[in-house]
Amino acid sequence: YDIQSCNASSVAVPSPECTLRCASGYVSDGALGPSATCLEDNGVFKINGLASGEITQGKLKVQPAAQGAATQLPEGSSICHDSITRLRFTVPLEAPLAAKVVSPLTTLVSHTETTADAQDIVRYALGMDGQVDLLTYNTVAELYKNAAGASNVLKQTAQILNIVNQGQSLFDGTSIAEEMFKSVAKQMSSHYDARSAGRRRGLLQAGTFDLTSSSFVSDLFKDAATSVGLTPTGAEDLSIIDAVSDSVASLNNVIKETEGASGAGILKEMAKVDIVLQTDVKDQVSKLVAGTIDTEVFKASTTTEVVKNKVAETVVPVDVSKYLASALDDGGDDNKGLSLEIIIYFTIWF
């Protein structure tokens, strides 16, 4: 996300996990050093005053502010939101200390237990070029340059965020978002291990990692729910999970099929899809969970046809081409104007 209007205080950093809480100041615990400060400047989080090698463990984390009624915010809002869609920042993201960005992809790397192969595991699951450094990859800057593969990275990131966002509504009132990322990372690791086993047996393929599979999404939801003590057992609970899983998988296909004539074009179309998914669809999931609509009404209101029609009617609140030009066309600074990453700068790199 290109986080806008986040009020992170310039206060002492006492934590190896540099946690920033948008719109409510800086929150931390632990000990980094007496002189370190965490600053926010135009949506760019900076960590200053650190001696070389002073941070040796922990993670970089960005947490969303407390949620409110409005999902899409007005221009100039002081609540943390995405610059292009103006959607409220809703999910916790993190990254290993070596990262220069904090994104959904770095979050998956951070949650992958086999740290030595973490990037390989994520790249393999998403079918990405093995040379892409996920800890520095600037999706929007790559789109602006019309770089090969950037649109696929954007789409897969959006599919993962769709699963996590709908999971938040499905299991309202829990810390489910982080568990959703962990479940995705766990499935990525299993997929990677299966590939290795397949190679040893001389097989050409070893399973699938399919974000458009209803059963795959359902397993992710159930695994995350179990991790936070919400193991679904009743027929009604399971039918709700299945209905949302069917919807998410189907709508991930809408994401997959989204096209644009250029990097800016695909970003604009993806922004329209994201707005519908995080407003209309997420609202329908909440109503289903609350019991104000049944599964049949939910299914009818979230079909691909219904969603595509709503996407066609959706207006992105900013001119994407002008936004990218002003944010990125200034001499090649790729670490500006991001819509899906939060750039992390250090005074001294280590």
Side-chain angles (χ1 to χ4, degrees):
Y1 292 87
D2 179 7
I3 300 300
Q4 295 291 301
S5 304
C6 298
N7 303 317
S9 305
S10 300
V11 297
V13 178
S15 173
E17 295 186 347
C18 182
T19 302
L20 299 166
R21 196 174 299 278
C22 294
S24 61
Y26 174 79
V27 178
S28 64
D29 56 6
L32 267 187
S35 62
T37 58
C38 216
L39 308 174
E40 184 275 332
D41 178 22
N42 296 322
V44 176
F45 295 111
K46 303 179 180 180
I47 305 175
N48 298 322
L50 300 178
S52 178
E54 189 166 357
I55 305 179
T56 58
Q57 59 182 349
K59 299 176 180 179
L60 298 167
K61 292 189 175 183
V62 178
Q63 300 284 357
Q67 300 302 293
T71 301
Q72 195 171 21
L73 302 165
E75 183 178 4
S77 172
S78 62
I79 298 174
C80 197
H81 61 278
D82 181 81
S83 296
I84 294 176
T85 63
R86 294 199 185 129
L87 291 168
R88 181 190 292 269
F89 177 47
T90 60
V91 300
L93 301 176
E94 62 181 63
L97 289 175
K100 295 182 183 179
V101 298
V102 180
S103 72
L105 296 179
T106 66
T107 303
L108 291 170
V109 171
S110 180
H111 284 310
T112 302
E113 294 179 358
T114 311
T115 54
D117 299 325
Q119 288 209 52
D120 287 339
I121 289 170
V122 175
R123 284 189 296 244
Y124 177 69
L126 299 180
M128 295 176 64
D129 186 333
Q131 301 304 309
V132 172
D133 186 351
L134 300 179
L135 303 187
T136 63
Y137 191 79
N138 180 335
T139 310
V140 176
E142 294 302 310
L143 281 169
Y144 184 58
K145 295 183 291 187
N146 295 313
S151 62
N152 285 333
V153 175
L154 178 69
K155 291 178 183 181
Q156 290 169 322
T157 303
Q159 289 174 331
I160 291 168
L161 285 175
N162 185 35
I163 293 172
V164 174
N165 275 309
Q166 305 310 335
Q168 282 185 312
S169 294
L170 181 59
F171 302 104
D172 186 42
T174 72
S175 57
I176 199 70
E178 185 170 5
E179 295 304 321
M180 288 300 308
F181 276 118
K182 290 179 180 178
S183 293
V184 174
K186 183 166 37 171
Q187 288 297 325
M188 285 180 163
S189 294
S190 297
H191 181 53
Y192 188 80
D193 291 343
R195 179 205 67 160
S196 300
R199 282 183 172 177
R200 288 194 295 271
R201 294 194 301 268
L203 302 177
L204 294 178
Q205 296 181 347
T208 60
F209 183 87
D210 188 358
L211 296 170
T212 64
S213 162
S214 178
S215 61
F216 183 83
V217 174
S218 178
D219 287 344
L220 289 175
F221 283 150
K222 292 171 184 176
D223 182 62
T226 300
S227 297
V228 295
L230 295 174
T231 305
T233 54
E236 183 177 0
D237 289 341
L238 291 173
S239 68
I240 290 175
I241 290 175
D242 287 342
V244 176
S245 299
D246 288 345
S247 171
V248 169
S250 177
L251 298 181
N252 272 355
N253 263 316
V254 174
I255 293 172
K256 183 178 180 180
E257 295 168 0
T258 300
E259 299 294 341
S262 63
I266 187 70
L267 186 58
K268 177 182 177 180
E269 293 305 311
M270 284 297 302
K272 291 165 63 176
V273 174
D274 199 26
I275 289 170
V276 174
L277 294 180
Q278 288 204 50
T279 54
D280 295 88
V281 175
K282 202 168 184 180
D283 181 57
Q284 292 301 101
V285 174
S286 295
K287 288 179 179 178
L288 176 62
V289 173
T292 56
I293 62 173
D294 60 26
T295 55
E296 293 307 311
V297 172
F298 171 79
K299 290 177 181 178
S301 66
T302 60
T303 64
T304 56
E305 182 179 2
V306 168
V307 169
K308 285 181 177 180
N309 287 337
K310 288 182 177 179
V311 168
E313 298 169 354
T314 298
V315 176
V316 179
V318 302
D319 186 315
V320 176
S321 295
K322 289 182 178 178
Y323 170 80
L324 290 178
S326 63
L328 293 168
D329 192 14
D330 64 349
D333 183 356
D334 287 347
N335 292 337
K336 297 180 65 178
L338 304 188
S339 180
L340 288 176
E341 286 89 5
I342 301 164
I343 295 299
I344 304 296
Y345 287 98
F346 293 95
T347 302
I348 300 175
W349 297 101
F350 52 88

